[in-house]
Amino acid sequence: MNQPASGHIYIITGPSGVGKGTLCKMLLAVEPNLTLSVSATSRAIRAGEAHGVSYHFKTRAEFEAMIAHDQAQPDAGRHHLLEWAEYNGNYYGTPRSVVQEALGAGNNVLLEIETQGALQVKRKFPSAHLIFVAPPSLEELAHRLRTRGTEAEAEIASRLEISRHEMTLQDRFDYVLVNQRLEECMNAIREIMARTASGRSLR
Ligand code: 5GP
């Protein structure tokens, strides 16, 4: 797959409940030329979520048909998905066409995805900027997951188990930020965006 002509890919990754979604909303409100990639998922829609806004909601069979299509298609430029992963029993994936159209139009693209998918995008687009958002502690992460109230206790327990593993992968990302305070974390991401857009490196 070709490198983006002008737009950059910024990937916000890290454990569930760390605040990735809130950070992305805040970034979209202030950053010009930033397009959010709306993912596809086979997980059930939650109260307050909307089709095509939160996710493109698919059945498992629909998602598996996209995976089968891509596996049979040698031309990556015709794949449905740029990356996909199974997370806690559900499929999640980034539609390829939306990302490529935005990059082609010179826009920067924001992906909010889990760690396996983030590493897949990096393999396809080595210039993508991988930002791992970590919680101040696993105890604080558990507290945030419980207070957001979107998952039952069993689901929270398995998400925390996955988080423990994801925390061990931090070294593989370009930047690691601790989300102690949302505003500070957002400003740190904006700083990365400003420096990378102007070709300067923070590392
Ligand atoms: P949730 O069920 O809480 O909406 O998402 C579960 C996890 O899947 C989160 O860590 C979220 O960032 C991640 N996720 C959302 N969309 C995608 C995607 O397109 N690809 C991958 N690999 N992960 C995603």
Side-chain angles (χ1 to χ4, degrees):
M1 201 166 289
N2 295 331
Q3 291 295 298
S6 48
H8 291 252
I9 299 179
Y10 296 98
I11 303 181
I12 308 296
T13 190
S16 171
V18 78
K20 303 189 297 284
T22 308
L23 286 164
C24 286
K25 280 197 196 92
M26 291 166 74
L27 288 164
L28 289 164
V30 293
E31 282 290 329
N33 304 326
L34 189 61
T35 304
L36 178 71
S37 160
V38 177
S39 298
T41 185
S42 67
R43 96 149 153 65
I45 189 166
R46 293 179 189 144
E49 290 186 327
H51 285 276
V53 179
S54 320
Y55 282 106
H56 301 289
F57 291 95
K58 309 273 179 194
T59 62
R60 262 190 99 75
E62 284 168 343
F63 209 111
E64 284 170 355
M66 291 197 290
I67 296 170
H69 168 277
D70 290 358
Q71 284 172 345
Q73 172 56 258
D75 179 358
R78 289 171 177 266
H79 285 178
H80 290 310
L81 299 168
L82 185 59
E83 63 72 35
W84 65 272
E86 198 164 5
Y87 175 92
N88 206 25
N90 291 307
Y91 294 116
Y92 295 81
T94 303
R96 181 198 54 78
S97 60
V98 180
V99 172
Q100 286 215 307
E101 278 158 26
L103 292 175
N107 283 331
N108 295 327
V109 182
L110 187 62
L111 266 56
E112 189 242 289
I113 62 179
E114 54 69 71
T115 48
Q116 307 168 68
L119 294 169
Q120 285 177 51
V121 178
K122 187 76 174 178
R123 282 195 284 278
K124 290 184 179 167
F125 289 98
S127 61
H129 310 283
L130 296 193
I131 303 168
F132 184 97
V133 181
S137 66
L138 281 170
E139 291 70 31
E140 172 61 20
L141 184 69
H143 174 71
R144 288 183 192 175
L145 269 174
R146 291 198 172 96
T147 47
R148 83 177 183 183
T150 45
E151 288 90 12
E153 191 53 38
E155 170 86 20
I156 291 175
S158 51
R159 283 182 180 236
L160 284 172
E161 195 54 46
I162 296 169
S163 300
R164 267 183 215 105
H165 170 67
E166 289 184 308
M167 293 293 285
T168 67
L169 304 176
Q170 287 181 49
D171 291 356
R172 303 212 206 161
F173 300 95
D174 299 321
Y175 306 94
V176 177
L177 302 175
V178 177
N179 184 16
Q180 182 86 49
R181 291 176 199 280
L182 276 170
E183 199 76 23
E184 282 169 19
C185 193
M186 180 193 69
N187 286 334
I189 298 173
R190 293 193 76 194
E191 173 84 348
I192 292 167
M193 289 178 164
R195 296 208 183 201
T196 50
S198 67
R200 287 178 291 144
S201 174
L202 275 181
R203 287 171 296 144

